[in-house]
Amino acid sequence: MDPTVQSGGKGNLAQRIWSAIVRLFIRKRTTDFTILKKREELEIVVNYYQREAEKTPKNPFNHQQVGSGLEERFRRSGNVSDLHSAISNFQMAVRATVDDVEKPPHLHRLGCALQIRFGHLKILADLDDAISSFQMAVRLTPNNADLPPHLHRLGWVLRIRFERLNNLADLDGAISNFQLAVRFTPDSNPEKPLFLGDLGDVHMIRFECLHQPTDLEIAISSTRRASELTPDQNQRMLRAARLKELEQVNAKRIRDEWHAAEARHREGEHIAAEVRRIEAQRIEKERMAAEARRLEEERLAAEARRLEEERLAAEARRLEEERLAAEARRLEEERLAAEARRRCARSQTNLESMIPFMQQSIELTSEDREDRLIILGEVLQARFHSLDEATDMENAISTYQKAVNLTPDQHPAKSTRLVVLGDALRSRSRRFESVGDLNSAISSYRRAANHQEAFLKQTDRSSSTPKKSGAVSSTTVYLKNM
């Protein structure tokens, strides 16, 4: 259908003329909406592409055209809703583009629209999204010859964000992208003077921040080259004026540096004289201090000799006292050792005579056999500690084991006998470093605890804990008095 029908179709000659313009615009798939001078022409074209976008939502060209038309209408009317809709259509154009190679133009238009909206609403997220769109356009562009427009726009939005947030990283990024745009643009390209001029401007901004002469020099050389490549006389005059400003700044910088160097030189001479005076004072103070140190060292050396003599005398007295004390300890130890040997001899005689007697009594009678076995085990264990014979400890443990086995589970003394067996096993594990004996001792203690708990449950909880058997207590008293 003829798109002009939507606006009334037939009319006067003027209407037929701009209707022809609209038909030609659509037929040739023109993308420059600025040539549609009349508002009615722009409305017809926008409405036409909106209908086409609804029919073919996966066609990125229709969304791109709708976005471009709405963006142009926003420029004329200032209605921000048109700009919002334009951004939405540019985003749909990006999503509808399947091949990544074809996305950069759509991403570029989306970034430009986001930049415009940031300029009106000052929403930082729009600026960040614009930077992301231009970065993706740069990344997806396969040919260096097509990169400069994207690089230049990316440099611009980074410069804008630097001016907003004052983050030097954005300024460095802007410089890098402008440099790449200049590098990939031939001198014959009419856009190169613009790229060079913008590169000079951002270097000048960084010079004002960091005061590095290199930035100012690059700004001058870039502006000079931009002026040389500018074909338009008026533009060349503007760039020449800018170049003159930069050269004046550079000349002032050089003068300031010279004056500063001269001031530093004069200050340096004054400082040198002051340093010489201070150095002379320092040398005199050091001489006096050295003399004072020498006198103090002599005094301290004399004091040290006196203290050393006193220390040596005190040390001699201490050593003599220690020698006398050691001699007294040696004599006392010899006396105690002789006394211990006499007692050990008596104890050994008693143990040797006691063991066969107790073994015979156990064999002859079964009355109180468990208590007698416990006593025999303690006697054998005592002889082990006296003579260090492993068989005595083995026989003691075997005797304790027999006593435990003969004791009924309901007998109150069984837990005590299990503890005695565990003590013997633990003693042998320490003497011979046996892990097996230590495990057996733990098992015996655990059995004793379980038996004690079971026994207490059967008795009145208010009663006291059963005492050890009288035989064991009497044997212990006997062995202590040996």
Side-chain angles (χ1 to χ4, degrees):
M1 179 184 291
D2 190 342
T4 59
V5 174
Q6 302 299 324
S7 63
K10 299 178 180 180
N12 57 28
L13 178 60
Q15 287 178 327
R16 286 197 298 272
I17 292 174
W18 56 255
S19 297
I21 293 174
V22 168
R23 286 195 297 271
L24 184 63
F25 185 94
I26 294 172
R27 186 179 305 115
K28 291 192 173 183
R29 299 169 65 89
T30 307
T31 58
D32 184 8
F33 281 78
T34 59
I35 65 176
L36 300 174
K37 302 299 182 181
K38 295 183 176 295
R39 181 180 59 83
E40 293 84 356
E41 295 173 346
L42 182 62
E43 294 294 336
I44 293 172
V45 174
V46 169
N47 292 335
Y48 170 78
Y49 278 113
Q50 283 177 334
R51 292 193 301 273
E52 291 300 312
E54 292 173 358
K55 293 177 185 177
T56 57
K58 294 185 178 180
N59 186 343
F61 177 77
N62 293 327
H63 293 297
Q64 178 81 5
Q65 290 292 83
V66 173
S68 299
L70 291 171
E71 183 180 333
E72 178 63 23
R73 192 167 71 182
F74 162 75
R75 287 194 180 94
R76 299 180 186 184
S77 66
N79 189 350
V80 180
S81 62
D82 285 337
L83 185 58
H84 295 330
S85 300
I87 290 173
S88 297
N89 278 276
F90 289 141
Q91 290 171 337
M92 286 187 285
V94 172
R95 288 195 295 269
T97 304
V98 178
D99 191 354
D100 287 346
V101 177
E102 298 177 358
K103 284 185 178 181
H106 304 310
L107 288 166
H108 187 94
R109 293 305 304 271
L110 173 60
C112 292
L114 288 166
Q115 180 184 345
I116 294 171
R117 189 165 70 178
F118 169 77
H120 281 76
L121 303 182
K122 305 303 180 185
I123 299 174
L124 192 60
D126 284 336
L127 191 59
D128 294 337
D129 292 341
I131 291 171
S132 299
S133 296
F134 289 127
Q135 287 174 336
M136 187 175 295
V138 169
R139 188 165 57 252
L140 296 179
T141 300
N143 188 358
N144 289 343
D146 298 328
L147 278 174
H150 307 315
L151 292 167
H152 180 253
R153 274 290 184 175
L154 177 56
W156 252 108
V157 290
L158 286 170
R159 173 184 172 174
I160 293 171
R161 191 167 70 177
F162 164 76
E163 292 171 349
R164 179 69 179 269
L165 302 179
N166 201 30
N167 185 352
L168 279 174
D170 287 333
L171 184 59
D172 293 338
I175 290 173
S176 299
N177 282 281
F178 283 142
Q179 286 174 338
L180 291 173
V182 169
R183 182 187 307 171
F184 295 142
T185 303
D187 291 347
S188 58
N189 191 314
E191 295 293 328
K192 189 160 187 176
L194 174 64
F195 298 163
L196 285 165
D198 290 339
L199 176 60
D201 289 343
V202 290
H203 272 290
M204 187 60 191
I205 293 173
R206 191 165 72 177
F207 169 76
E208 293 171 351
C209 294
L210 305 180
H211 304 288
Q212 294 293 329
T214 306
D215 284 319
L216 182 55
E217 293 169 1
I218 295 175
I220 291 172
S221 62
S222 298
T223 305
R224 181 180 292 112
R225 184 58 178 159
S227 178
E228 293 171 354
L229 294 177
T230 301
D232 183 73
Q233 184 66 25
N234 293 329
Q235 288 293 324
R236 189 183 304 118
M237 291 176 62
L238 291 174
R239 296 193 187 282
R242 175 61 175 166
L243 177 61
K244 186 177 180 180
E245 291 177 3
L246 295 178
E247 289 175 342
Q248 288 174 350
V249 171
N250 192 37
K252 182 178 181 302
R253 177 188 66 82
I254 294 172
R255 286 195 305 272
D256 292 343
E257 289 182 355
W258 184 86
H259 289 309
E262 184 68 18
R264 286 194 299 271
H265 177 70
R266 289 194 298 270
E267 182 66 18
E269 291 180 347
H270 173 72
I271 291 173
E274 185 66 17
V275 166
R276 288 192 295 272
R277 184 184 65 79
I278 295 172
E279 182 67 13
Q281 291 178 349
R282 183 187 64 80
I283 292 172
E284 179 62 20
K285 288 180 180 179
E286 288 181 354
R287 186 191 66 77
M288 295 176 65
E291 181 67 17
R293 285 196 300 271
R294 183 184 65 78
L295 295 174
E296 181 66 13
E297 288 171 358
E298 290 178 356
R299 186 188 66 79
L300 292 175
E303 182 68 16
R305 286 193 297 272
R306 182 184 64 78
L307 293 175
E308 181 64 16
E309 291 171 358
E310 292 179 355
R311 187 189 66 79
L312 291 174
E315 182 68 14
R317 288 193 298 272
R318 185 186 63 78
L319 292 175
E320 181 63 18
E321 291 171 357
E322 289 181 354
R323 185 188 67 77
L324 293 174
E327 183 66 17
R329 287 195 299 273
R330 183 183 63 78
L331 294 174
E332 180 64 17
E333 288 172 357
E334 289 179 356
R335 185 186 68 77
L336 292 174
E339 181 67 21
R341 284 194 296 272
R342 288 194 297 272
R343 289 185 180 182
C344 184
R346 289 199 303 270
S347 175
Q348 184 63 30
T349 303
N350 292 335
L351 288 174
E352 293 296 336
S353 62
M354 188 176 180
I355 290 172
F357 171 76
M358 294 185 66
Q359 289 174 338
Q360 186 178 5
S361 68
I362 290 170
E363 293 174 356
L364 292 176
T365 179
S366 61
E367 184 179 358
D368 296 332
R369 178 174 293 178
E370 295 86 346
D371 289 338
R372 293 174 184 274
L373 286 168
I374 293 295
I375 295 171
L376 176 58
E378 291 185 350
V379 172
L380 289 168
Q381 193 171 351
R383 190 171 71 176
F384 165 75
H385 290 306
S386 176
L387 302 179
D388 199 24
E389 290 290 340
T391 54
D392 285 335
M393 179 56 81
E394 292 175 2
N395 292 333
I397 292 173
S398 176
T399 302
Y400 290 145
Q401 187 66 58
K402 289 178 183 179
V404 170
N405 294 339
L406 291 173
T407 303
D409 290 341
Q410 296 80 13
H411 198 283
K414 184 156 187 174
S415 60
T416 303
R417 292 166 184 168
L418 284 165
V419 170
V420 171
L421 174 60
D423 289 343
L425 289 165
R426 186 176 63 170
S427 178
R428 188 169 69 176
S429 73
R430 290 177 176 175
R431 175 63 181 80
F432 299 107
E433 299 181 355
S434 172
V435 178
D437 285 337
L438 182 58
N439 293 332
S440 299
I442 293 170
S443 177
S444 183
Y445 290 144
R446 188 176 288 113
R447 288 178 59 197
N450 293 337
H451 178 271
Q452 184 72 4
E453 183 180 359
F455 178 75
L456 290 175
K457 287 181 180 178
Q458 296 174 0
T459 60
D460 185 9
R461 294 186 180 276
S462 62
S463 62
S464 60
T465 305
K467 297 180 181 179
K468 291 186 179 180
S469 64
V472 177
S473 300
S474 62
T475 302
T476 306
V477 172
Y478 168 76
L479 291 173
K480 289 182 178 179
N481 293 328
M482 290 178 61

